[in-house]
Amino acid sequence: MTTNAVADPHAATRSAPANGKHRASALQRLMEIRVGIIPLPIYALLVALIAAFSIKGKISGEVTVMIAIIVVGGFTCAEIGRRIPILNVIGGSSLMTIFLPSFLVAHQLLPAPLVQQVTTFTKSTNFIYLFITAVVVGSILSMDRRVLIQGFVKIFIPLAAGSVAALAVGGTVGWICGIGFWRSILYVVVPVMAGGVGEGAIPLSIGYAEALGLNQGIVLGQILPLVFFGNLVAIICCGALKSLGKRRADLTGNGQLQPVGNGAADDISERAHSSVTNIDVATVAAGGITGIAIYVFGTLIYSLIGLPAPVAMLFLVVMVKLLKAVPASLEEGARVVFRFFVTAVTYPLLFSTAVALTPWHELVEAFHPANLVTIIATVLTLTATGFYVGKWLKMYPIETAIVNACHSGLGGTGDVMILTAAERMELMPFAQVATRIGGAITVTLAIIAIAHFKIL
């Protein structure tokens, strides 16, 4: 909990008629204490209301009720994780928000009506794409153009180097553990770097099943737990990198991928953007709807050529930035939307995802010693390569390591989890490159390889 309350030095000298004001100030001091973003009295009221509706077994699926539930659940888990020693320095808030609800659901420790409504809400709204839209559009539009151009060109180098190194090390470690070199690569390392479930594990299992004449469901069941565990290792790695950045300020740009030159701004728009201090609500709303329009355009591109909408959106917003198509005030509006979503929506999103889409048993099934060692070696190699190659390229090594770690993430959801643990949500555009594009390349090459070599 956080508080900004300040004691009133004149309270003792006030007359009796001021008692009401004194009581009011005490309540105000309580309102300054927060669980996440929720004032403590409001938090207590919401917990009591949710408990009452749960006891009655009548939890509404109305959007306002759902927001109350996932906000309370998300920030409660985050607060618990923040207060656990050791865990709090490796991303405890995000780890607790991801895995505690999943555990509670699996052991039926959450009310069934609550779980049902949260699951329905999460799947029907699919609001993770709204979150990604706000973060990607806001972070890119508020980014220096030179940093954007250089970052997108450079980031492929540590990603490629990390992928090659992870394949070699993961295969070798798997061979030492008795899995076999090529089997380790195709059935452990590749699933971890495939880009999540929907755009990684599922197409990979389909390709493997068709190439080998196997049942797709069985193949998916074998590789899916590995994807979840790889994401967990990446979260822990990036939580540790966050702690390293607090001790070694020279290694991090605090969300910026590489240093900005000391020269003059490259155009009038950049200078104007830096001078924007006050914006109105309408401009913030305009920045938000601009991001939504870009994402909807991306869905059209997906329907035409099959390019995933988040990837299409990424390319579109980069184009908008490079062409200077929006004024500095609108860029600032998009940045405010981005900051709002990072501050207010991240933990509720993780909570709803954990309840609805993170099966506990899938994670537990991955805990085979040989798999564990191979996955840990893979993710550590991917991350460490990003760190050292980024340093060689004069990028911030902690940021490049975090982007590389996102290559082993659970798709868009995994990027949110990893960047939350790292407290580097500004890296979302580059994380999407690692997850979506890196994952697509990995899956394509793996399917070609298994069709050619027929490795069971």
Side-chain angles (χ1 to χ4, degrees):
M1 296 182 189
T2 59
T3 178
N4 297 316
V6 178
D8 185 351
H10 304 294
T13 64
R14 287 181 176 163
S15 59
N19 286 341
K21 290 184 179 179
H22 179 69
R23 286 194 295 270
S25 67
L27 178 60
Q28 288 172 357
R29 285 197 295 271
L30 282 176
M31 291 291 284
E32 290 291 337
I33 302 172
R34 298 182 181 180
V35 179
I37 64 169
I38 315 171
L40 182 58
I42 302 300
Y43 175 83
L45 175 62
L46 286 174
V47 170
L49 291 171
I50 293 169
F53 281 113
S54 297
I55 292 171
K56 292 179 65 177
K58 296 181 179 179
I59 296 180
S60 169
E62 183 184 346
V63 64
T64 48
V65 177
M66 286 296 100
I67 290 174
I69 290 172
I70 64 175
V71 167
V72 168
F75 285 109
T76 299
C77 293
E79 192 71 29
I80 294 171
R82 191 174 69 85
R83 293 176 177 274
I84 298 177
I86 300 177
L87 189 65
N88 59 6
V89 298
I90 56 170
S93 291
S94 55
L95 283 170
M96 192 62 64
T97 312
I98 296 160
F99 294 107
L100 178 58
S102 178
F103 174 84
L104 295 176
V105 170
H107 293 82
Q108 300 179 347
L109 297 175
L110 287 178
L114 185 148
V115 173
Q116 180 182 356
Q117 292 292 3
V118 170
T119 301
T120 301
F121 174 77
T122 304
K123 291 182 177 180
S124 63
T125 59
N126 210 9
F127 75 103
I128 187 171
Y129 287 109
L130 177 63
F131 181 91
I132 291 174
T133 297
V135 171
V136 169
V137 173
S139 56
I140 288 181
L141 290 184
S142 60
M143 196 181 296
D144 183 279
R145 289 175 68 251
R146 290 168 298 173
V147 173
L148 177 67
I149 296 169
Q150 294 169 8
F152 271 98
V153 171
K154 282 186 175 181
I155 197 60
F156 286 99
I157 300 175
L159 272 174
S163 298
V164 172
L167 288 169
V169 172
T172 302
V173 170
W175 171 70
I176 293 172
C177 292
I179 302 175
F181 183 80
W182 288 110
R183 184 170 178 82
S184 296
I185 288 178
L186 291 171
Y187 289 93
V188 180
V189 179
V190 165
V192 167
M193 300 195 302
V197 179
E199 296 171 4
I202 291 176
L204 189 69
S205 65
I206 293 172
Y208 280 14
E210 290 180 353
L212 301 174
L214 301 174
N215 180 284
Q216 186 260 337
I218 294 175
V219 177
L220 182 62
Q222 291 175 347
I223 66 177
L224 197 57
L226 310 180
V227 177
F228 281 96
F229 186 74
N231 192 76
L232 171 60
V233 177
I235 291 169
I236 295 172
C237 284
C238 290
L241 286 169
K242 176 196 69 176
S243 298
L244 176 62
K246 290 180 178 178
R247 296 194 303 271
R248 292 285 305 276
D250 58 307
L251 298 176
T252 179
N254 294 310
Q256 187 172 293
L257 195 62
Q258 61 181 7
V260 181
N262 295 321
D266 61 346
D267 54 49
I268 295 176
S269 174
E270 299 294 348
R271 292 194 295 270
H273 179 71
S274 64
S275 67
V276 174
T277 56
N278 297 308
I279 60 172
D280 55 47
V281 175
T283 302
V284 175
I289 198 64
T290 298
I292 290 173
I294 293 172
Y295 178 78
V296 173
F297 194 180
T299 62
L300 174 63
I301 293 175
Y302 172 72
S303 68
L304 295 175
I305 62 175
L307 184 67
V311 178
M313 174 188 67
L314 182 62
F315 289 134
L316 288 171
V317 72
V318 168
M319 188 181 303
V320 167
K321 179 68 176 181
L322 296 182
L323 295 176
K324 308 174 193 176
V326 297
S329 60
L330 197 61
E331 291 180 343
E332 182 66 10
R335 188 191 70 82
V336 172
V337 174
F338 155 60
R339 294 308 311 169
F340 169 80
F341 270 78
V342 169
T343 303
V345 183
T346 301
Y347 290 116
L349 171 64
L350 293 180
F351 176 82
S352 67
T353 302
V355 171
L357 303 173
T358 308
W360 179 257
H361 68 276
E362 297 285 4
L363 180 64
V364 173
E365 287 176 6
F367 282 77
H368 184 283
N371 288 340
L372 295 185
V373 174
T374 303
I375 292 171
I376 291 170
T378 298
V379 178
L380 287 177
T381 301
L382 191 60
T383 306
T385 304
F387 184 95
Y388 289 107
V389 173
K391 191 173 184 179
W392 175 66
L393 291 172
K394 301 189 185 304
M395 304 167 79
Y396 288 114
I398 286 178
E399 273 64 28
T400 50
I402 291 169
V403 172
N404 262 29
C406 288
H407 191 10
S408 58
L410 195 63
T413 305
D415 289 342
V416 175
M417 295 174 180
I418 293 167
L419 296 182
T420 300
E423 295 182 2
R424 301 290 194 282
M425 200 62 75
E426 296 85 352
L427 295 174
M428 180 63 80
F430 303 103
Q432 290 284 289
V433 170
T435 303
R436 310 283 183 177
I437 298 176
I441 294 172
T442 301
V443 169
T444 301
L445 293 178
I447 292 174
I448 292 173
I450 205 162
H452 180 73
F453 294 106
K454 303 291 184 183
I455 299 173
L456 290 171

